[in-house]
């Protein structure tokens, strides 16, 4: 099983994402797991150069995982 976790979603809504991760793993949620997570780092670092073929392969995989997650919901 695979759970796709997007950094931006985790950083902007940590409680909901950690709850989703815990549910996926069958683990109890604790507020301490999402304490201190902040969206302040989003967009601050330069995006590294990624080979266009690798970037395309990653995007295709992310799209497939998103579609699978949506159809399972």
């Amino acid at each position: 099983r695979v759970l796709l976790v997007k950094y931006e979603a985790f950083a902007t809504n940590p409680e909901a994402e950690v709850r989703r991760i815990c549910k996926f793993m069958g683990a109890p949620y604790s507020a301490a797991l999402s304490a201190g997570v902040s969206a302040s780092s989003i967009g601050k670092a330069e995006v590294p150069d990624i080979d266009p073929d690798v970037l395309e392969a990653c995007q295709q995989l992310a799209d497939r995982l998103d579609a699978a997650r949506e159809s399972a919901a």
Side-chain angles (χ1 to χ4, degrees):
R1 298 179 349 155
V2 173
L3 178 67
L4 182 63
V5 179
K6 294 184 177 180
Y7 174 76
E8 291 81 0
F10 181 78
T12 57
N13 197 356
E15 181 180 346
E17 285 298 295
V18 172
R19 284 183 184 278
R20 191 171 70 87
I21 293 166
C22 288
K23 182 179 177 182
F24 177 81
M25 296 186 331
Y29 170 78
S30 167
L33 295 171
S34 57
V37 177
S38 170
S40 63
S41 65
I42 294 176
K44 286 191 174 180
E46 283 189 39
V47 176
D49 289 332
I50 300 173
D51 181 282
D53 293 335
V54 172
L55 190 58
E56 178 62 25
C58 290
Q59 187 58 56
Q60 288 177 9
L61 178 59
D63 292 345
R64 288 177 47 208
L65 290 169
D66 280 340
R69 180 175 57 144
E70 290 171 8
S71 68

